[in-house]
Amino acid sequence: AFKEGTNNFSMRGLRCTNVSLPGRSFITTPHSTYAGGPKSNRIAGIEYDGGLVQMTFMCDHSFEDKQKLELWQQYIFDDAFHYQYYDDYVGRIEITQEGQDGLPIYSIELDEAYPQSIQTQTLDAANGEIQTFTCSFAFRSWSSQFTRSPTGILEGIFNLQVCISSIEGFTQ
């Protein structure tokens, strides 16, 4: 979804067949409490896999999915290479993983995202397979949500252990 002027533009139902979920890591720098002393790594920032995610989409006879992404790119710039303001063309992308029952179990939201590049697409009638295309999306950051909690006594105990072990290292 992205905002065009006062209108919100939303694309739902894109048929993504492949996506690499982004990673997250801390940028660290060596730190010593006193000169010449032992060093430990301290967090200096956060890195979101270079701020890029690649997604592969199915492309049927209408090419509708590709058209939507190309329209988003065309909104960003015009033929005279005038570009929109950043806040006007970035949007939010939600990636949802469904369980075997078809209900969502995990989702990631990419913030300030836009289609950075639509890669070259080869059309091959001899292949006989469904056509696909790949698009790289730039983003600023991401957040995740687990939408279903485990149930049952054993899974409840497991959750408690995970919760306790993740809190133990935290002090104020």
Side-chain angles (χ1 to χ4, degrees):
F2 75 96
K3 189 173 183 177
E4 179 180 345
T6 58
N7 300 319
N8 287 328
F9 178 75
S10 179
M11 300 184 312
R12 296 183 189 271
L14 290 175
R15 293 162 297 168
C16 183
T17 62
N18 186 318
V19 61
S20 296
L21 297 178
R24 178 173 41 211
S25 61
F26 293 119
I27 300 167
T28 60
T29 58
H31 174 77
S32 178
T33 307
Y34 50 91
K39 295 186 179 199
S40 62
N41 286 327
R42 300 288 172 97
I43 297 172
I46 193 163
E47 172 64 35
Y48 291 101
D49 272 357
L52 284 176
V53 168
Q54 282 195 336
M55 299 183 195
T56 303
F57 299 92
M58 287 192 293
C59 203
D60 66 6
H61 67 281
S62 70
F63 274 56
E64 182 180 355
D65 295 357
K66 187 168 186 176
Q67 179 187 24
K68 289 176 181 180
L69 293 172
E70 285 186 11
L71 285 172
W72 191 351
Q73 280 189 329
Q74 288 170 8
Y75 174 75
I76 295 172
F77 77 99
D78 61 19
D79 291 336
F81 301 105
H82 295 111
Y83 299 91
Q84 297 289 336
Y85 290 107
Y86 180 79
D87 289 343
D88 291 336
Y89 65 79
V90 297
R92 177 182 56 83
I93 296 175
E94 185 175 316
I95 303 165
T96 303
Q97 172 65 51
E98 296 177 346
Q100 292 179 340
D101 56 4
L103 296 173
I105 56 173
Y106 179 69
S107 64
I108 285 186
E109 187 174 293
L110 304 177
D111 299 312
E112 296 182 29
Y114 63 93
Q116 183 182 34
S117 68
I118 298 173
Q119 296 178 1
T120 303
Q121 180 180 13
T122 302
L123 301 178
D124 184 1
N127 186 331
E129 293 182 14
I130 295 175
Q131 298 291 328
T132 62
F133 70 96
T134 301
C135 182
S136 295
F137 291 89
F139 65 93
R140 183 169 189 261
S141 62
W142 64 267
S143 58
S144 64
Q145 180 178 354
F146 293 87
T147 53
R148 287 196 276 172
S149 298
T151 58
I153 189 162
L154 290 178
E155 290 175 308
I157 291 170
F158 175 76
N159 276 346
L160 179 62
Q161 290 298 322
V162 170
C163 186
I164 290 170
S165 65
S166 66
I167 294 173
E168 283 177 356
F170 179 78
T171 60
Q172 279 186 312

